[in-house]
């Protein structure tokens, strides 16, 4: 179990750093584009941009976990490793593909990491939306 934690924790820390940076980039993008919009669709564009940036950040984190799984030899293809990673990160838990007993504890670690990072993405989007509502 200790080895699994020593392998998983650097990925979690890297994802936390990545998500923090992505959130800041998303907010900076938003702040650089806000103005007094004249119509709803113009007001929604900066929020759409932030959501896109945050989603790309989550996809990068899923790919990072998938790369780890692939490098550990858990999956034959990167595609399968990323699929399994996405299921873990989103906390879906399909169970159609499982890892070997040696590394299976990485799944719950990724799920906790994903729940926190997706939560931070939601909080960032909510902050932008609240700012948009106050600006009307």
């Amino acid at each position: 179990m200790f080895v699994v934690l020593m392998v998983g924790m650097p990925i979690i820390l890297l994802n936390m750093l990545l998500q923090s940076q992505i959130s800041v980039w998303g907010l900076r993008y938003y702040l650089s584009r806000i103005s007094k919009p004249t119509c709803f669709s113009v007001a929604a564009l900066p929020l759409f941009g932030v959501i896109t940036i945050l989603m790309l950040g989550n996809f990068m984190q899923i790919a990072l976990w998938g790369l780890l799984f692939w490098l550990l030899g858990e999956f034959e293809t990167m595609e399968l490793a990323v699929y399994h990673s996405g299921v873990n990160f989103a906390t879906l838990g399909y169970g159609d593909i499982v890892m070997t007993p040696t590394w299976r504890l990485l799944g719950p670690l990724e799920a906790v990491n994903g729940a926190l990072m997706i939560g931070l993405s939601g909080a960032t989007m909510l902050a932008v939306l609240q700012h948009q509502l106050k600006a009307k």
Side-chain angles (χ1 to χ4, degrees), residues 78-99:
M78 186 64 178
E79 179 186 1
L80 196 55
V82 169
Y83 166 76
H84 181 74
S85 174
V87 169
N88 285 338
F89 197 84
T91 68
L92 292 174
Y94 287 151
D96 57 338
I97 301 171
V98 295
M99 298 198 310

